Amino acid sequence: MKPIKLNHIIIILLLFLVSCDSGIKSGNEISKADLEYIRELGLINNNERIILFSSQGGNQKSGNFISEQRLASYWTENRKENNQINSAKYNEIDTLITKDLSNALTYASYIKVIKKDGSEFKVYVDDNIDKTNEFFERATSEWIKRKK
């Protein structure tokens, strides 16, 4: 009897892991509805293109991205006081610090964005080490190229 219960638990865990909409996507892979939601949050302009995007928990709940104009992160819940919506245009950024936690089971890697005004936030990335490093490198190169 115990092996059957264990098999059920393993199957449920695998289904949960497979169903999570995490990982890095190109901006072209984001639905129009999700792009409109991100616009409603005030994180992109109509003519702004998202380059890379990562989400933990679904695009309507969380998102982290590199665009042509900024780095941004959002986490929204039913209770608005818990919402976190952050972005920094490249010319507002003083420092980027990357932390690779791609080998950790329960933590996402992140870029700590420190703005020139002293405020800071994190852009979370949840993928394998190679894709995570590509995200970090792209964010850094976009910042260096566009921070003027």
Side-chain angles (χ1 to χ4, degrees):
M1 192 67 120
K2 285 187 182 181
I4 293 173
K5 286 184 181 182
L6 183 59
N7 286 340
H8 287 200
I9 292 171
I10 290 171
I11 290 170
I12 290 169
L13 286 173
L14 287 173
L15 287 173
F16 175 75
L17 290 172
V18 169
S19 68
C20 289
D21 190 20
S22 63
I24 299 168
K25 300 176 183 176
S26 88
N28 297 333
E29 296 177 83
I30 302 170
S31 73
K32 288 183 181 184
D34 289 338
L35 284 172
E36 185 57 34
Y37 179 71
I38 294 167
R39 277 189 195 93
E40 288 172 9
L41 293 175
L43 291 175
I44 59 171
N45 301 319
N46 287 334
N47 60 348
E48 189 172 352
R49 186 178 66 87
I50 292 177
I51 298 167
L52 292 175
F53 183 89
S54 180
S55 177
Q56 298 80 36
N59 299 352
Q60 296 283 321
K61 184 170 187 167
S62 77
N64 302 272
F65 63 87
I66 303 165
S67 82
E68 297 170 320
Q69 297 181 20
R70 72 188 83 220
L71 295 177
S73 177
Y74 64 91
W75 178 272
T76 58
E77 296 184 12
N78 293 335
R79 294 176 27 204
K80 290 194 183 277
E81 64 269 13
N82 292 337
N83 291 354
Q84 295 180 24
I85 301 169
N86 299 289
S87 76
K89 291 190 173 182
Y90 293 115
N91 66 351
E92 299 173 330
I93 299 172
D94 179 67
T95 307
L96 297 178
I97 301 170
T98 60
K99 181 71 173 174
D100 182 6
L101 298 170
S102 55
N103 290 327
L105 285 174
T106 56
Y107 296 103
S109 302
Y110 60 86
I111 302 170
K112 185 176 193 179
V113 178
I114 302 172
K115 296 171 72 172
K116 291 177 181 174
D117 68 5
S119 62
E120 57 187 58
F121 65 95
K122 293 177 181 173
V123 175
Y124 290 94
V125 184
D126 192 16
D127 213 317
N128 66 45
I129 191 167
D130 293 331
K131 289 188 177 189
T132 296
N133 283 325
E134 286 175 21
F135 191 98
F136 290 167
E137 289 169 11
R138 186 65 184 263
T140 302
S141 70
E142 290 296 322
W143 171 53
I144 290 169
K145 179 169 61 174
R146 301 173 189 269
K147 67 181 179 178
K148 301 172 191 173

